Amino acid sequence: MQPVFESSFQPQAADVSPDALRERLARKGLRATRQRLAILESLLLLPGHPTAEQVHRRVRPDYPTISLGTVYKALDSFVATGLVRRVAAAEGHSRRFDADCSAHHHLHCTDTQEIIDYCDPRLDALIQEFFAARGLPGFRPETFSLHITGTKTRES
C-alpha cells in the first residue's frame, strides 16, 4: 500500500449539518451550545490545521461578542474529550487543531508553515515492530503520531 499525503481533512456536507454537529458533541458528552456548534463547524471547514485565532476570525462575524478565550476553551474541551486533536506547530508558539482523529502523522513544511497529513501503514508497522522488539521499561505505547519537519519539494 502506498503512503497517502493529504493537505487536510475534507469533511462531507453531511458532516457539518447542524444535526451532525450536535450528534458529534453529544457523543462526547458536550452540550451543543450555539458557540460550540459554530466553533466545531469552523474547525471542520477551515483548510489545513487551523489555529484558535483562525477559528475565532471565522466565527466572529456571526458571533461578534465571542472572545478568543471562549474559542480556546471550546477547543480545549474538544481535545479533552477526543473530538479533535491538538497538533504541535514547528514554530512552537501557536497551537493548531486537527478535526481528523484517525491514525495519521504530520509533515510540517518550514517554508509554507503548511501541515500535511501523512498515512503509511508500512511506517506504522515498522514503529510497532521497533517498540515490540526494544520495549520501553515501565511504559507501553498505545498510539503514536509522528511530527516530521522539512520542506516541500517539487516533483521531478
Side-chain angles (χ1 to χ4, degrees):
M1 178 179 264
Q2 291 287 1
V4 177
F5 292 91
E6 298 175 11
S7 290
S8 63
F9 170 67
Q10 297 297 316
Q12 303 299 313
D15 295 336
V16 294
S17 72
D19 289 340
L21 296 173
R22 281 187 189 84
E23 175 60 28
R24 276 180 165 220
L25 291 169
R27 278 195 314 260
K28 298 299 183 176
L30 296 170
R31 283 188 325 120
T33 65
R34 290 188 333 258
Q35 290 179 337
R36 279 187 181 151
L37 290 166
I39 291 166
L40 181 56
E41 177 185 44
S42 294
L43 185 63
L44 289 165
L45 293 177
L46 283 166
H49 301 75
T51 64
E53 291 79 6
Q54 290 169 320
V55 172
H56 182 248
R57 279 193 298 274
R58 188 171 190 288
V59 277
R60 191 121 193 235
D62 293 328
Y63 297 90
T65 61
I66 193 169
S67 70
L68 180 58
T70 298
V71 172
Y72 267 110
K73 186 176 176 183
L75 291 170
D76 287 342
S77 70
F78 295 169
V79 169
T81 61
L83 185 61
V84 302
R85 294 193 308 180
R86 188 174 288 119
V87 178
E91 64 273 12
H93 64 274
S94 67
R95 290 186 282 177
R96 294 188 176 206
F97 297 88
D98 192 349
D100 180 2
C101 290
S102 67
H104 65 278
H105 309 289
H106 294 107
L107 306 177
H108 184 272
C109 177
T110 55
D111 287 344
T112 66
Q113 300 304 311
E114 180 181 9
I115 298 176
I116 302 161
D117 290 341
Y118 178 72
C119 300
D120 187 343
R122 287 180 45 207
L123 175 61
D124 295 348
L126 283 171
I127 293 169
Q128 289 169 341
E129 290 167 14
F130 175 84
F131 284 110
R134 295 269 175 96
L136 296 172
F139 187 80
R140 184 174 53 95
E142 295 172 4
T143 64
F144 54 88
S145 174
L146 296 178
H147 186 92
I148 303 166
T149 302
T151 55
K152 287 172 60 174
T153 59
R154 291 200 165 102
E155 296 297 318
S156 302

